[in-house]
């Protein structure tokens, strides 16, 4: 026997729960639609477009031709393919040593200061205000083997100058130094904000137990900031594996492919060789690597926190 749907007085049918929720949240959906459109146009569509391009021969002038996995084969057979991945991984590891740890240590020092804290925050954040290209070109002068600042400083200490960007042994490390300096301020301020949320009672209790500065950092600071440390670690890896502007402006991938990165090689394929399909194939590989790493890292972090 069918059950009649509930009606209001006067014979009008009551709206379903879905319709009531839709009416109640209609304004929220309206505000959300703008963000969804932006994500769809600037994030999701380029990903889908890149996936399609990786299986095409396309120069955006002639009609595209489907070539299957030929673009991937072209990338794999490139002599710069292996150095690009090795350099990217090494750059990421070195950036974690410097660009991940140093901002955290500076934030701890700033958090302990009682005077000139605002001024020092400004000094630390100043490099972030510079356009990246300006900062990189500034370091290009620092690294100049002739009148460069770094070699002048070595000369004052009676040490021989270095070919910072022209030597395979120092070129990649030189790029790491530039990247660390450019991004030092933002990481430091994020860590500093996290440190200021730690209750002072925890440090006082640790001091009463006789804990020194190292033990307080290890047993209080790090456990209380482990969430932001985990997030920053993931963001750091994703950002550094996409390094481009430093090799592009400083070394051009040289010397002897010592600083060529995956993203720089993508740029070479797309804009120097006019092979957008091969560039898209390489970009798809990088996206999959970062996606696998991100999912695995988040799952491990969830299991540890659970």
């Amino acid at each position: 026997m069918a059950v009649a749907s509930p009606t209001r007085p006067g014979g009008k049918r009551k709206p379903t729960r879905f319709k009531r929720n839709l009416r109640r949240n209609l304004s929220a959906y309206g505000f959300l639609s703008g963000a969804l459109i932006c994500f769809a146009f600037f994030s999701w569509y380029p990903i889908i477009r890149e996936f399609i391009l990786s299986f095409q021969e396309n120069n955006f002038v002639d009609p595209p031709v489907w070539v299957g996995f030929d673009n991937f084969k072209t990338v794999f057979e490139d002599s710069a393919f292996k150095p690009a991945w090795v350099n990217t991984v090494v750059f990421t590891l070195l950036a974690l040593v410097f660009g991940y740890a140093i901002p955290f240590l500076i934030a701890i020092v700033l958090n302990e200061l009682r005077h000139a804290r605002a001024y020092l925050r400004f000094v630390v954040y100043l490099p972030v205000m510079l356009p990246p290209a300006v900062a990189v070109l500034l370091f290009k002068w620092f690294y100049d083997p002739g009148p460069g600042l770094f070699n002048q400083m070595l000369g004052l200490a009676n040490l021989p100058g270095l070919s910072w960007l022209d030597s395979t042994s120092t070129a990649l490390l030189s790029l790491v130094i530039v990247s660390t300096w450019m991004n030092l301020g933002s990481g430091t301020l994020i860590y500093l904000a996290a440190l200021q949320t730690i209750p002072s009672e925890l440090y006082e209790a640790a001091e009463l137990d006789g804990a020194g500065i190292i033990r307080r950092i290890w047993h209080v600071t790090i456990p209380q900031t482990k969430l932001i440390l985990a997030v920053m670690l993931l963001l750091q890896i994703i950002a550094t594996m996409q390094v481009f502007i430093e090799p592009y402006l400083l070394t051009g991938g040289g010397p002897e492919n010592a600083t060529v990165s995956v993203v720089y090689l993508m740029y070479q394929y797309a804009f120097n060789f006019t092979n957008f399909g091969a560039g898209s194939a390489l970009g798809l590989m990088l996206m999959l690597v970062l996606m696998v790493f991100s999912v695995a890292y988040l799952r491990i972090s969830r299991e540890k926190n659970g």
Side-chain angles (χ1 to χ4, degrees), residues 2-128:
V3 180
S5 60
T7 57
R8 294 179 179 177
K12 293 184 178 180
R13 180 175 298 178
K14 290 184 179 180
T16 62
R17 180 179 298 179
F18 173 77
K19 290 183 179 180
R20 291 197 301 270
N21 292 336
L22 181 62
R23 291 175 182 175
R24 185 168 57 248
N25 299 321
L26 190 59
S27 59
Y29 291 135
F31 286 111
L32 186 62
S33 62
L36 291 176
I37 292 174
C38 289
F39 270 110
F41 188 75
F42 294 105
S43 295
W44 301 330
Y45 172 74
I47 293 175
I48 297 172
R49 185 62 172 158
E50 180 187 38
F51 180 80
I52 296 173
L53 277 175
S54 64
F55 297 97
Q56 292 180 339
E57 181 181 334
N58 194 337
N59 57 11
F60 294 105
V61 176
D62 301 319
V65 178
W66 289 92
V67 294
F69 291 94
D70 287 354
N71 290 324
F72 294 89
K73 183 179 179 181
T74 299
V75 170
F76 276 122
E77 293 176 350
D78 192 338
S79 60
F81 177 78
K82 183 178 179 180
W85 282 101
V86 171
N87 294 335
T88 300
V89 172
V90 173
F91 182 91
T92 300
L93 294 176
L94 291 174
L96 289 178
V97 173
F98 296 100
Y100 183 68
I102 293 178
F104 187 64
L105 296 176
I106 294 177
I108 292 175
V109 173
L110 291 179
N111 193 50
E112 295 293 326
L113 295 178
R114 295 294 177 265
H115 303 286
R117 183 187 294 180
Y119 169 74
L120 292 175
R121 284 187 204 168
F122 170 76
V123 171
V124 171
Y125 192 73
L126 184 61
V128 182

Side-chain angles (χ1 to χ4, degrees), residues 211-244:
I213 180 66
I214 302 298
R215 291 184 60 188
R216 291 201 301 269
I217 293 174
W218 184 257
H219 294 288
V220 177
T221 304
I222 293 179
Q224 292 295 316
T225 57
K226 63 180 181 179
L227 178 60
I228 190 65
L229 287 173
V231 173
M232 290 295 289
L233 176 64
L234 182 60
L235 295 178
Q236 176 91 2
I237 292 174
I238 293 175
T240 51
M241 288 199 71
Q242 300 179 69
V243 57
F244 169 72

Side-chain angles (χ1 to χ4, degrees), residues 91-104 106 124 127-128 135-136 139 143 172-188 236 240 243 246:
F91 182 91
T92 300
L93 294 176
L94 291 174
L96 289 178
V97 173
F98 296 100
Y100 183 68
I102 293 178
F104 187 64
I106 294 177
V124 171
V128 182
V136 171
F139 268 83
Y143 288 136
L172 192 61
L173 180 60
S174 301
L175 301 190
V176 173
I177 295 173
V178 178
S179 177
T180 301
W181 185 82
M182 287 195 304
N183 300 291
L184 184 69
S186 55
T188 300
Q236 176 91 2
T240 51
V243 57
E246 291 88 349

Side-chain angles (χ1 to χ4, degrees), residues 146-292:
L149 177 64
F150 291 158
N151 277 350
Q152 289 186 18
M153 295 172 62
L154 292 175
L156 293 176
N158 295 322
L159 295 174
L162 297 175
S163 300
W164 296 92
L165 301 176
D166 299 326
S167 172
T168 56
S169 59
T170 58
L172 192 61
L173 180 60
S174 301
L175 301 190
V176 173
I177 295 173
V178 178
S179 177
T180 301
W181 185 82
M182 287 195 304
N183 300 291
L184 184 69
S186 55
T188 300
L189 291 189
I190 292 174
Y191 289 135
L192 185 60
L195 292 175
Q196 292 176 348
T197 63
I198 301 176
S200 58
E201 293 83 2
L202 296 177
Y203 289 109
E204 294 172 0
E207 290 179 4
L208 291 175
D209 290 338
I213 180 66
I214 302 298
R215 291 184 60 188
R216 291 201 301 269
I217 293 174
W218 184 257
H219 294 288
V220 177
T221 304
I222 293 179
Q224 292 295 316
T225 57
K226 63 180 181 179
L227 178 60
I228 190 65
L229 287 173
V231 173
M232 290 295 289
L233 176 64
L234 182 60
L235 295 178
Q236 176 91 2
I237 292 174
I238 293 175
T240 51
M241 288 199 71
Q242 300 179 69
V243 57
F244 169 72
I245 189 171
E246 291 88 349
Y248 175 70
L249 291 178
L250 287 178
T251 62
E256 300 177 10
N257 287 334
T259 58
V260 63
S261 66
V262 175
V263 177
Y264 181 76
L265 189 58
M266 289 167 51
Y267 169 84
Q268 291 279 349
Y269 274 116
F271 297 101
N272 287 353
F273 309 147
T274 321
N275 191 342
F276 293 95
S280 298
L282 192 58
L284 186 61
M285 294 179 197
L286 180 61
M287 184 186 71
L288 292 176
V289 170
L290 293 177
M291 185 182 300
V292 170

